[in-house]
Amino acid sequence: MFPSAREYLRKKLKTALDKIGIQVNGIELILDKPKNEQYGDFATNIAMLIAKKVGREPREIANEIVANLEIEPELVEKVEIAGPGFINFKLTPKFYIQRVYEILNQGENFGKLAIGKGKKANVEFVSANPTGPLTVGHGRNAALGDTIANILEWVGYDVTREYYFNNAGRQMRILADSVRLRYLELLGEEIVYPEEYYQGEYIKDIAKLLIDKYGDSLKNEKDLKIFKETAESVIFEDIKRTLAKLGIKFDVFYNEDWLYEKKIWEVVSELEKLGYIYEKDGAKWFKATKLGGGQDKVLVKSTGEPTYRLPDIAYHIEKFKRGFDLIIDVFGADHIAEYPDVLRALEALKYDTSKVKVLIYQFVTIVKDGEVVKMSTRKANYITLDELIDEVGPDVVRFFFLNRSRDAHLNFDLNLAKKQSEENPVYYLQYAHARIASILRFAKDSGIDVERTRDANMELLVEKEEIDLAKLLNEFPDIVEVAYLSLEPLKIINYLNEVAEAFHSFYHRHRVVNSNDMGLTLARLSLCVAAKIVIANGLKILGISRPEKM
RNA sequence: GCGCCCGUAGCUCAACGGAUAGAGCAACGGCCUUCUAAGCCGUGGGUUGCAGGUUCGAGUCCUGCCGGGCGCGCCA
């Protein structure tokens, strides 16, 4: 296997550092891509970092490192020391062409890594209780969670996509009674519909369903069971349908109820044994302050009922017990105050909380007709995720939600959503893919055996745009790694944008299919195929379709 | 009062502590008789909220302020 440029240089640098006998413990060997081309393809600041540690001149160390690099001249064009002590590398076109061969050989596996091989990951996301349709806010959660799961699969993890829900408690009772009242209303009874009940039209739809099924036989039904169960199943089906439109499918729907019988009480007694529990005002408190928390928290109310924290803790313990090496929670910013206490409890119970990654994304603000719309399932003044998908399509929805960092607030102007979608950046990526597909079709129609591209002599690629594109394609596995380390799908989008840009630029300047020069045609077609592979693999990770035609 | 996030071009947002802060949209000017113009090339647009600090180097880290968002319950 021919390594990526970063991998190659990193290895060479490590060998050189070993030879000099410099300890690089705790110093990360970073190979940066300089913005300015004059500084080469990659640069490292390692000499400066070492200098700081050992108190020597950075350039002197850089010199020593460079002197000990065992580099193949046919792969590395130039090594330079610059500025305060950067070491700059420029690789040869030959290097990048080797990488194009590598892409063609690996095909749809190009970019897959072995970091997570043999490890199990659990990604919990969406986790909306079945009280109503998914909101646009859930959409961000869904897109993030599913894409992060994709990234983990791409780096080798065995991934479980999990949805945690609670179909018990007060909100569900209100939901059931909301349905019951709408049911009576449809039967012509006078009802008073409380303001705090669910206001959405979907409640009436469920009530209608009950009339279709049971007529007026539930008129005097005092038990809410049938209303609750019907509402829950209808809403859950609806949620699943919406998620399916986004290409999302869960492996496990975990019911919070499963924890109540036994598991939460085990948590309490374990914590008690370790001295993290005390009683006050008839309630059981968790000593969060003993573990760095700002205030102690109630785990068991004076009524004997658990607070929401307790099942949360028990649930995470279950995940540990189920053998996951990596446990990811995708939460909205409203959970910001909740997870530290859960982690503290897990720590107290001696679980390795470094396995737990809590990903908090900032809120989606919806603007409609110039007004900020507060999302509330109960008030029904929201735009559903389903409506949004129908309006702009699943690709645009996923892209829209992924195309910013988790920490950034997301302004969603509904009036502009559709308009923007017509000029949406997602099409820029898809267009590059479709364009390549079109070129390949054209080549085939012109009687060229596209399969032969693997045997092409790619040394014929010498134009700047060709090498620039090859350079970028070479990086894809590095980018997947960065996306994995940061758990930020945005990294992949930014990269694909660069690839698409490089491809369009190449396409514009250089004709691919040219019957007068079959050698060059085959070489360029190979480059196109490689670009298509990279774009397709990237879009696959993002869960965005890869059109052959647009 | 306390905790977390944000503040970068007119708008929406990028930028592992690196060298001259970048894209898209919007504005302006070019490019289709040959493989997809959903594209390409170019122009204009910035005191990175403010003030200090850390260091070879700060949009990025630290402190304080200003402004916006989300939380801080014996609700979930």
Side-chain angles (χ1 to χ4, degrees), chain A residues 142-144 146-148 150-151 154 246 248 394-395 397-399 402-403 426 429 483 488-497 535-546:
Chain A
L144 261 176
D146 188 54
T147 307
I148 285 166
N150 287 346
I151 291 170
W154 210 263
L246 290 175
I248 298 172
D395 287 339
V397 168
R398 282 190 76 120
F399 187 87
L402 296 174
N403 193 28
V426 67
L429 307 182
E488 272 283 19
L490 175 64
K491 307 284 184 192
I492 296 191
I493 291 185
N494 286 343
Y495 167 74
L496 290 182
N497 265 317
I535 294 171
N537 290 357
L539 288 176
K540 225 179 278 171
I541 293 174
L542 299 173
I544 290 171
S545 68
R546 305 160 296 277

mmCIF file of all heavy atoms in Angstrom, chain A residues 142-144 146-148 150-151 154 246 248 394-395 397-399 402-403 426 429 483 488-497 535-546:
data_model
loop_
_atom_site.group_PDB
_atom_site.id
_atom_site.type_symbol
_atom_site.label_atom_id
_atom_site.label_comp_id
_atom_site.label_asym_id
_atom_site.label_seq_id
_atom_site.Cartn_x
_atom_site.Cartn_y
_atom_site.Cartn_z
ATOM 1 N N ALA A 142 -30.140 14.490 14.211
ATOM 2 C CA ALA A 142 -30.192 13.287 13.391
ATOM 3 C C ALA A 142 -29.054 13.269 12.374
ATOM 4 O O ALA A 142 -28.354 12.263 12.216
ATOM 5 C CB ALA A 142 -31.536 13.204 12.675
ATOM 6 N N ALA A 143 -28.857 14.390 11.698
ATOM 7 C CA ALA A 143 -27.826 14.459 10.666
ATOM 8 C C ALA A 143 -26.440 14.269 11.288
ATOM 9 O O ALA A 143 -25.606 13.518 10.768
ATOM 10 C CB ALA A 143 -27.902 15.795 9.938
ATOM 11 N N LEU A 144 -26.228 14.925 12.413
ATOM 12 C CA LEU A 144 -24.935 14.810 13.095
ATOM 13 C C LEU A 144 -24.673 13.384 13.567
ATOM 14 O O LEU A 144 -23.620 12.810 13.297
ATOM 15 C CB LEU A 144 -24.928 15.722 14.323
ATOM 16 C CG LEU A 144 -24.262 17.065 14.223
ATOM 17 C CD1 LEU A 144 -24.462 17.822 15.519
ATOM 18 C CD2 LEU A 144 -22.770 16.910 13.934
ATOM 19 N N ASP A 146 -26.033 10.491 12.768
ATOM 20 C CA ASP A 146 -25.901 9.469 11.737
ATOM 21 C C ASP A 146 -24.574 9.604 10.997
ATOM 22 O O ASP A 146 -23.923 8.612 10.679
ATOM 23 C CB ASP A 146 -27.065 9.573 10.749
ATOM 24 C CG ASP A 146 -27.081 8.406 9.779
ATOM 25 O OD1 ASP A 146 -27.069 7.258 10.249
ATOM 26 O OD2 ASP A 146 -27.083 8.648 8.559
ATOM 27 N N THR A 147 -24.164 10.830 10.747
ATOM 28 C CA THR A 147 -22.913 11.033 10.015
ATOM 29 C C THR A 147 -21.709 10.648 10.866
ATOM 30 O O THR A 147 -20.745 10.057 10.363
ATOM 31 C CB THR A 147 -22.807 12.495 9.545
ATOM 32 O OG1 THR A 147 -23.995 12.822 8.835
ATOM 33 C CG2 THR A 147 -21.607 12.680 8.645
ATOM 34 N N ILE A 148 -21.782 10.951 12.146
ATOM 35 C CA ILE A 148 -20.697 10.542 13.034
ATOM 36 C C ILE A 148 -20.624 9.020 13.095
ATOM 37 O O ILE A 148 -19.542 8.430 13.088
ATOM 38 C CB ILE A 148 -20.886 11.182 14.428
ATOM 39 C CG1 ILE A 148 -20.513 12.661 14.323
ATOM 40 C CG2 ILE A 148 -20.043 10.474 15.484
ATOM 41 C CD1 ILE A 148 -20.936 13.506 15.487
ATOM 42 N N ASN A 150 -21.436 7.095 10.686
ATOM 43 C CA ASN A 150 -20.800 6.731 9.406
ATOM 44 C C ASN A 150 -19.287 6.866 9.493
ATOM 45 O O ASN A 150 -18.546 6.014 9.008
ATOM 46 C CB ASN A 150 -21.305 7.628 8.275
ATOM 47 C CG ASN A 150 -22.736 7.309 7.865
ATOM 48 O OD1 ASN A 150 -23.269 6.260 8.231
ATOM 49 N ND2 ASN A 150 -23.348 8.199 7.120
ATOM 50 N N ILE A 151 -18.840 7.959 10.075
ATOM 51 C CA ILE A 151 -17.398 8.191 10.193
ATOM 52 C C ILE A 151 -16.754 7.070 11.010
ATOM 53 O O ILE A 151 -15.714 6.529 10.639
ATOM 54 C CB ILE A 151 -17.124 9.563 10.844
ATOM 55 C CG1 ILE A 151 -17.522 10.691 9.889
ATOM 56 C CG2 ILE A 151 -15.642 9.698 11.239
ATOM 57 C CD1 ILE A 151 -17.520 12.079 10.522
ATOM 58 N N TRP A 154 -16.430 4.076 9.066
ATOM 59 C CA TRP A 154 -15.393 4.253 8.056
ATOM 60 C C TRP A 154 -14.002 4.010 8.636
ATOM 61 O O TRP A 154 -13.102 3.567 7.940
ATOM 62 C CB TRP A 154 -15.493 5.660 7.454
ATOM 63 C CG TRP A 154 -15.021 5.698 6.038
ATOM 64 C CD1 TRP A 154 -13.786 6.059 5.588
ATOM 65 C CD2 TRP A 154 -15.768 5.354 4.864
ATOM 66 N NE1 TRP A 154 -13.713 5.962 4.233
ATOM 67 C CE2 TRP A 154 -14.909 5.539 3.761
ATOM 68 C CE3 TRP A 154 -17.077 4.907 4.642
ATOM 69 C CZ2 TRP A 154 -15.305 5.287 2.443
ATOM 70 C CZ3 TRP A 154 -17.466 4.671 3.337
ATOM 71 C CH2 TRP A 154 -16.591 4.856 2.248
ATOM 72 N N LEU A 246 -34.292 10.509 5.543
ATOM 73 C CA LEU A 246 -32.922 11.025 5.616
ATOM 74 C C LEU A 246 -31.901 9.896 5.525
ATOM 75 O O LEU A 246 -30.702 10.106 5.683
ATOM 76 C CB LEU A 246 -32.708 11.791 6.924
ATOM 77 C CG LEU A 246 -33.445 13.125 7.051
ATOM 78 C CD1 LEU A 246 -33.234 13.707 8.445
ATOM 79 C CD2 LEU A 246 -32.970 14.119 5.997
ATOM 80 N N ILE A 248 -31.759 7.343 7.581
ATOM 81 C CA ILE A 248 -31.314 6.971 8.915
ATOM 82 C C ILE A 248 -32.137 5.806 9.454
ATOM 83 O O ILE A 248 -33.359 5.826 9.428
ATOM 84 C CB ILE A 248 -31.435 8.168 9.886
ATOM 85 C CG1 ILE A 248 -30.529 9.303 9.398
ATOM 86 C CG2 ILE A 248 -31.084 7.746 11.314
ATOM 87 C CD1 ILE A 248 -30.709 10.589 10.157
ATOM 88 N N PRO A 394 -33.898 15.555 0.999
ATOM 89 C CA PRO A 394 -33.045 15.045 2.075
ATOM 90 C C PRO A 394 -31.575 15.461 1.954
ATOM 91 O O PRO A 394 -30.928 15.722 2.972
ATOM 92 C CB PRO A 394 -33.184 13.524 1.966
ATOM 93 C CG PRO A 394 -33.771 13.266 0.634
ATOM 94 C CD PRO A 394 -34.554 14.470 0.256
ATOM 95 N N ASP A 395 -31.051 15.543 0.737
ATOM 96 C CA ASP A 395 -29.639 15.898 0.589
ATOM 97 C C ASP A 395 -29.365 17.301 1.113
ATOM 98 O O ASP A 395 -28.388 17.544 1.813
ATOM 99 C CB ASP A 395 -29.215 15.826 -0.890
ATOM 100 C CG ASP A 395 -29.096 14.382 -1.366
ATOM 101 O OD1 ASP A 395 -28.946 13.493 -0.511
ATOM 102 O OD2 ASP A 395 -29.169 14.164 -2.581
ATOM 103 N N VAL A 397 -31.172 18.960 3.232
ATOM 104 C CA VAL A 397 -31.389 18.998 4.683
ATOM 105 C C VAL A 397 -30.150 18.503 5.423
ATOM 106 O O VAL A 397 -29.639 19.167 6.328
ATOM 107 C CB VAL A 397 -32.618 18.150 5.083
ATOM 108 C CG1 VAL A 397 -32.672 17.946 6.598
ATOM 109 C CG2 VAL A 397 -33.894 18.834 4.611
ATOM 110 N N ARG A 398 -29.646 17.352 5.009
ATOM 111 C CA ARG A 398 -28.459 16.820 5.688
ATOM 112 C C ARG A 398 -27.293 17.779 5.553
ATOM 113 O O ARG A 398 -26.592 18.074 6.517
ATOM 114 C CB ARG A 398 -28.074 15.450 5.115
ATOM 115 C CG ARG A 398 -28.945 14.317 5.612
ATOM 116 C CD ARG A 398 -28.372 12.963 5.212
ATOM 117 N NE ARG A 398 -27.242 12.606 6.027
ATOM 118 C CZ ARG A 398 -27.180 11.509 6.791
ATOM 119 N NH1 ARG A 398 -28.186 10.670 6.845
ATOM 120 N NH2 ARG A 398 -26.107 11.253 7.499
ATOM 121 N N PHE A 399 -27.094 18.247 4.342
ATOM 122 C CA PHE A 399 -25.973 19.138 4.103
ATOM 123 C C PHE A 399 -26.090 20.416 4.926
ATOM 124 O O PHE A 399 -25.128 20.870 5.547
ATOM 125 C CB PHE A 399 -25.899 19.484 2.612
ATOM 126 C CG PHE A 399 -24.673 20.256 2.243
ATOM 127 C CD1 PHE A 399 -23.501 19.598 1.931
ATOM 128 C CD2 PHE A 399 -24.684 21.648 2.226
ATOM 129 C CE1 PHE A 399 -22.357 20.303 1.598
ATOM 130 C CE2 PHE A 399 -23.548 22.361 1.903
ATOM 131 C CZ PHE A 399 -22.380 21.688 1.579
ATOM 132 N N LEU A 402 -25.142 19.811 8.449
ATOM 133 C CA LEU A 402 -23.750 19.410 8.687
ATOM 134 C C LEU A 402 -22.768 20.512 8.358
ATOM 135 O O LEU A 402 -21.629 20.493 8.798
ATOM 136 C CB LEU A 402 -23.415 18.167 7.847
ATOM 137 C CG LEU A 402 -24.203 16.908 8.192
ATOM 138 C CD1 LEU A 402 -23.883 15.797 7.199
ATOM 139 C CD2 LEU A 402 -23.905 16.462 9.608
ATOM 140 N N ASN A 403 -23.229 21.478 7.580
ATOM 141 C CA ASN A 403 -22.296 22.468 7.055
ATOM 142 C C ASN A 403 -22.011 23.602 8.028
ATOM 143 O O ASN A 403 -21.940 24.755 7.635
ATOM 144 C CB ASN A 403 -22.814 23.035 5.738
ATOM 145 C CG ASN A 403 -21.749 23.816 5.008
ATOM 146 O OD1 ASN A 403 -20.553 23.546 5.165
ATOM 147 N ND2 ASN A 403 -22.154 24.794 4.219
ATOM 148 N N VAL A 426 -24.453 22.213 -1.730
ATOM 149 C CA VAL A 426 -24.434 20.755 -1.843
ATOM 150 C C VAL A 426 -24.395 20.351 -3.316
ATOM 151 O O VAL A 426 -23.774 19.359 -3.685
ATOM 152 C CB VAL A 426 -25.641 20.099 -1.132
ATOM 153 C CG1 VAL A 426 -26.942 20.419 -1.814
ATOM 154 C CG2 VAL A 426 -25.459 18.584 -1.082
ATOM 155 N N LEU A 429 -20.932 20.004 -4.946
ATOM 156 C CA LEU A 429 -20.261 18.717 -4.783
ATOM 157 C C LEU A 429 -20.875 17.661 -5.681
ATOM 158 O O LEU A 429 -20.178 16.909 -6.360
ATOM 159 C CB LEU A 429 -20.373 18.245 -3.326
ATOM 160 C CG LEU A 429 -19.926 19.205 -2.243
ATOM 161 C CD1 LEU A 429 -20.067 18.563 -0.879
ATOM 162 C CD2 LEU A 429 -18.484 19.616 -2.489
ATOM 163 N N ALA A 483 -11.651 13.992 10.786
ATOM 164 C CA ALA A 483 -13.085 14.005 11.071
ATOM 165 C C ALA A 483 -13.389 13.076 12.238
ATOM 166 O O ALA A 483 -14.225 13.371 13.092
ATOM 167 C CB ALA A 483 -13.878 13.591 9.839
ATOM 168 N N GLU A 488 -16.251 15.764 13.740
ATOM 169 C CA GLU A 488 -16.860 16.895 13.044
ATOM 170 C C GLU A 488 -17.039 16.590 11.553
ATOM 171 O O GLU A 488 -16.086 16.672 10.778
ATOM 172 C CB GLU A 488 -15.959 18.132 13.181
ATOM 173 C CG GLU A 488 -16.217 18.973 14.420
ATOM 174 C CD GLU A 488 -17.454 19.846 14.322
ATOM 175 O OE1 GLU A 488 -18.338 19.589 13.482
ATOM 176 O OE2 GLU A 488 -17.534 20.805 15.106
ATOM 177 N N PRO A 489 -18.244 16.253 11.155
ATOM 178 C CA PRO A 489 -18.506 15.986 9.739
ATOM 179 C C PRO A 489 -18.132 17.165 8.832
ATOM 180 O O PRO A 489 -17.797 16.974 7.659
ATOM 181 C CB PRO A 489 -20.013 15.744 9.696
ATOM 182 C CG PRO A 489 -20.361 15.274 11.066
ATOM 183 C CD PRO A 489 -19.414 16.000 11.994
ATOM 184 N N LEU A 490 -18.165 18.348 9.399
ATOM 185 C CA LEU A 490 -17.845 19.543 8.621
ATOM 186 C C LEU A 490 -16.482 19.446 7.939
ATOM 187 O O LEU A 490 -16.278 19.979 6.849
ATOM 188 C CB LEU A 490 -17.891 20.760 9.548
ATOM 189 C CG LEU A 490 -17.481 22.103 8.974
ATOM 190 C CD1 LEU A 490 -18.434 22.519 7.869
ATOM 191 C CD2 LEU A 490 -17.454 23.159 10.065
ATOM 192 N N LYS A 491 -15.543 18.757 8.582
ATOM 193 C CA LYS A 491 -14.204 18.630 8.002
ATOM 194 C C LYS A 491 -14.277 17.969 6.632
ATOM 195 O O LYS A 491 -13.519 18.304 5.725
ATOM 196 C CB LYS A 491 -13.300 17.790 8.912
ATOM 197 C CG LYS A 491 -13.233 18.252 10.338
ATOM 198 C CD LYS A 491 -12.369 19.464 10.492
ATOM 199 C CE LYS A 491 -12.239 19.861 11.962
ATOM 200 N NZ LYS A 491 -11.659 21.177 12.129
ATOM 201 N N ILE A 492 -15.172 17.022 6.511
ATOM 202 C CA ILE A 492 -15.309 16.304 5.244
ATOM 203 C C ILE A 492 -15.932 17.202 4.187
ATOM 204 O O ILE A 492 -15.511 17.206 3.034
ATOM 205 C CB ILE A 492 -16.127 15.017 5.455
ATOM 206 C CG1 ILE A 492 -15.310 14.115 6.391
ATOM 207 C CG2 ILE A 492 -16.455 14.337 4.125
ATOM 208 C CD1 ILE A 492 -15.780 12.741 6.542
ATOM 209 N N ILE A 493 -16.902 17.984 4.594
ATOM 210 C CA ILE A 493 -17.528 18.911 3.648
ATOM 211 C C ILE A 493 -16.499 19.912 3.126
ATOM 212 O O ILE A 493 -16.387 20.136 1.922
ATOM 213 C CB ILE A 493 -18.699 19.671 4.307
ATOM 214 C CG1 ILE A 493 -19.854 18.715 4.573
ATOM 215 C CG2 ILE A 493 -19.156 20.826 3.416
ATOM 216 C CD1 ILE A 493 -21.091 19.371 5.117
ATOM 217 N N ASN A 494 -15.750 20.500 4.041
ATOM 218 C CA ASN A 494 -14.758 21.492 3.623
ATOM 219 C C ASN A 494 -13.768 20.886 2.648
ATOM 220 O O ASN A 494 -13.386 21.509 1.651
ATOM 221 C CB ASN A 494 -14.012 22.042 4.846
ATOM 222 C CG ASN A 494 -14.880 22.988 5.655
ATOM 223 O OD1 ASN A 494 -15.898 23.477 5.174
ATOM 224 N ND2 ASN A 494 -14.494 23.229 6.893
ATOM 225 N N TYR A 495 -13.365 19.673 2.930
ATOM 226 C CA TYR A 495 -12.417 18.994 2.050
ATOM 227 C C TYR A 495 -13.032 18.719 0.681
ATOM 228 O O TYR A 495 -12.416 18.979 -0.353
ATOM 229 C CB TYR A 495 -11.953 17.699 2.715
ATOM 230 C CG TYR A 495 -11.235 16.777 1.774
ATOM 231 C CD1 TYR A 495 -9.944 17.050 1.348
ATOM 232 C CD2 TYR A 495 -11.856 15.631 1.281
ATOM 233 C CE1 TYR A 495 -9.278 16.213 0.462
ATOM 234 C CE2 TYR A 495 -11.201 14.786 0.406
ATOM 235 C CZ TYR A 495 -9.922 15.079 -0.003
ATOM 236 O OH TYR A 495 -9.273 14.260 -0.887
ATOM 237 N N LEU A 496 -14.239 18.187 0.671
ATOM 238 C CA LEU A 496 -14.880 17.875 -0.609
ATOM 239 C C LEU A 496 -15.061 19.123 -1.459
ATOM 240 O O LEU A 496 -14.990 19.067 -2.687
ATOM 241 C CB LEU A 496 -16.233 17.192 -0.384
ATOM 242 C CG LEU A 496 -16.198 15.770 0.158
ATOM 243 C CD1 LEU A 496 -17.608 15.209 0.272
ATOM 244 C CD2 LEU A 496 -15.340 14.864 -0.728
ATOM 245 N N ASN A 497 -15.292 20.237 -0.790
ATOM 246 C CA ASN A 497 -15.384 21.492 -1.525
ATOM 247 C C ASN A 497 -14.091 21.796 -2.258
ATOM 248 O O ASN A 497 -14.105 22.235 -3.401
ATOM 249 C CB ASN A 497 -15.702 22.641 -0.571
ATOM 250 C CG ASN A 497 -17.186 22.920 -0.510
ATOM 251 O OD1 ASN A 497 -17.849 22.936 -1.543
ATOM 252 N ND2 ASN A 497 -17.707 23.098 0.679
ATOM 253 N N ILE A 535 -14.861 11.720 -4.166
ATOM 254 C CA ILE A 535 -16.084 12.494 -3.920
ATOM 255 C C ILE A 535 -17.214 11.565 -3.481
ATOM 256 O O ILE A 535 -17.944 11.858 -2.529
ATOM 257 C CB ILE A 535 -16.492 13.297 -5.177
ATOM 258 C CG1 ILE A 535 -15.437 14.366 -5.476
ATOM 259 C CG2 ILE A 535 -17.853 13.951 -4.975
ATOM 260 C CD1 ILE A 535 -15.623 15.069 -6.822
ATOM 261 N N ALA A 536 -17.327 10.439 -4.170
ATOM 262 C CA ALA A 536 -18.399 9.497 -3.832
ATOM 263 C C ALA A 536 -18.221 8.978 -2.406
ATOM 264 O O ALA A 536 -19.184 8.922 -1.627
ATOM 265 C CB ALA A 536 -18.409 8.338 -4.820
ATOM 266 N N ASN A 537 -17.007 8.619 -2.039
ATOM 267 C CA ASN A 537 -16.770 8.103 -0.692
ATOM 268 C C ASN A 537 -17.072 9.162 0.361
ATOM 269 O O ASN A 537 -17.642 8.866 1.410
ATOM 270 C CB ASN A 537 -15.328 7.602 -0.553
ATOM 271 C CG ASN A 537 -15.089 6.326 -1.354
ATOM 272 O OD1 ASN A 537 -16.018 5.802 -1.963
ATOM 273 N ND2 ASN A 537 -13.859 5.848 -1.358
ATOM 274 N N GLY A 538 -16.697 10.387 0.076
ATOM 275 C CA GLY A 538 -16.980 11.482 1.003
ATOM 276 C C GLY A 538 -18.474 11.709 1.154
ATOM 277 O O GLY A 538 -18.992 11.849 2.261
ATOM 278 N N LEU A 539 -19.176 11.728 0.037
ATOM 279 C CA LEU A 539 -20.622 11.945 0.092
ATOM 280 C C LEU A 539 -21.314 10.777 0.792
ATOM 281 O O LEU A 539 -22.305 10.959 1.502
ATOM 282 C CB LEU A 539 -21.189 12.128 -1.322
ATOM 283 C CG LEU A 539 -20.837 13.452 -2.002
ATOM 284 C CD1 LEU A 539 -21.353 13.490 -3.437
ATOM 285 C CD2 LEU A 539 -21.411 14.642 -1.230
ATOM 286 N N LYS A 540 -20.754 9.596 0.615
ATOM 287 C CA LYS A 540 -21.314 8.421 1.284
ATOM 288 C C LYS A 540 -21.244 8.623 2.798
ATOM 289 O O LYS A 540 -22.196 8.348 3.515
ATOM 290 C CB LYS A 540 -20.502 7.188 0.879
ATOM 291 C CG LYS A 540 -21.353 5.982 0.518
ATOM 292 C CD LYS A 540 -20.475 4.800 0.093
ATOM 293 C CE LYS A 540 -20.032 4.876 -1.356
ATOM 294 N NZ LYS A 540 -19.007 3.854 -1.704
ATOM 295 N N ILE A 541 -20.106 9.097 3.267
ATOM 296 C CA ILE A 541 -19.965 9.336 4.706
ATOM 297 C C ILE A 541 -20.999 10.359 5.170
ATOM 298 O O ILE A 541 -21.592 10.236 6.232
ATOM 299 C CB ILE A 541 -18.550 9.829 5.047
ATOM 300 C CG1 ILE A 541 -17.532 8.719 4.779
ATOM 301 C CG2 ILE A 541 -18.467 10.279 6.506
ATOM 302 C CD1 ILE A 541 -16.084 9.153 4.960
ATOM 303 N N LEU A 542 -21.229 11.362 4.357
ATOM 304 C CA LEU A 542 -22.163 12.422 4.735
ATOM 305 C C LEU A 542 -23.623 11.982 4.591
ATOM 306 O O LEU A 542 -24.530 12.686 5.024
ATOM 307 C CB LEU A 542 -21.919 13.669 3.883
ATOM 308 C CG LEU A 542 -20.537 14.308 3.998
ATOM 309 C CD1 LEU A 542 -20.384 15.431 2.985
ATOM 310 C CD2 LEU A 542 -20.309 14.835 5.414
ATOM 311 N N GLY A 543 -23.826 10.842 3.941
ATOM 312 C CA GLY A 543 -25.192 10.370 3.734
ATOM 313 C C GLY A 543 -25.917 11.152 2.662
ATOM 314 O O GLY A 543 -27.137 11.310 2.700
ATOM 315 N N ILE A 544 -25.145 11.648 1.714
ATOM 316 C CA ILE A 544 -25.714 12.456 0.631
ATOM 317 C C ILE A 544 -25.585 11.682 -0.675
ATOM 318 O O ILE A 544 -24.568 11.014 -0.909
ATOM 319 C CB ILE A 544 -24.992 13.813 0.567
ATOM 320 C CG1 ILE A 544 -25.371 14.647 1.799
ATOM 321 C CG2 ILE A 544 -25.353 14.561 -0.715
ATOM 322 C CD1 ILE A 544 -24.567 15.914 1.957
ATOM 323 N N SER A 545 -26.619 11.774 -1.508
ATOM 324 C CA SER A 545 -26.640 10.954 -2.712
ATOM 325 C C SER A 545 -25.578 11.394 -3.715
ATOM 326 O O SER A 545 -25.097 12.518 -3.679
ATOM 327 C CB SER A 545 -28.023 11.004 -3.356
ATOM 328 O OG SER A 545 -28.260 12.296 -3.863
ATOM 329 N N ARG A 546 -25.227 10.485 -4.612
ATOM 330 C CA ARG A 546 -24.140 10.706 -5.562
ATOM 331 C C ARG A 546 -24.680 10.550 -6.965
ATOM 332 O O ARG A 546 -24.576 9.488 -7.568
ATOM 333 C CB ARG A 546 -23.026 9.704 -5.272
ATOM 334 C CG ARG A 546 -22.575 9.804 -3.809
ATOM 335 C CD ARG A 546 -21.862 8.604 -3.279
ATOM 336 N NE ARG A 546 -22.670 7.403 -3.232
ATOM 337 C CZ ARG A 546 -23.521 7.088 -2.262
ATOM 338 N NH1 ARG A 546 -23.689 7.919 -1.246
ATOM 339 N NH2 ARG A 546 -24.208 5.971 -2.305
#
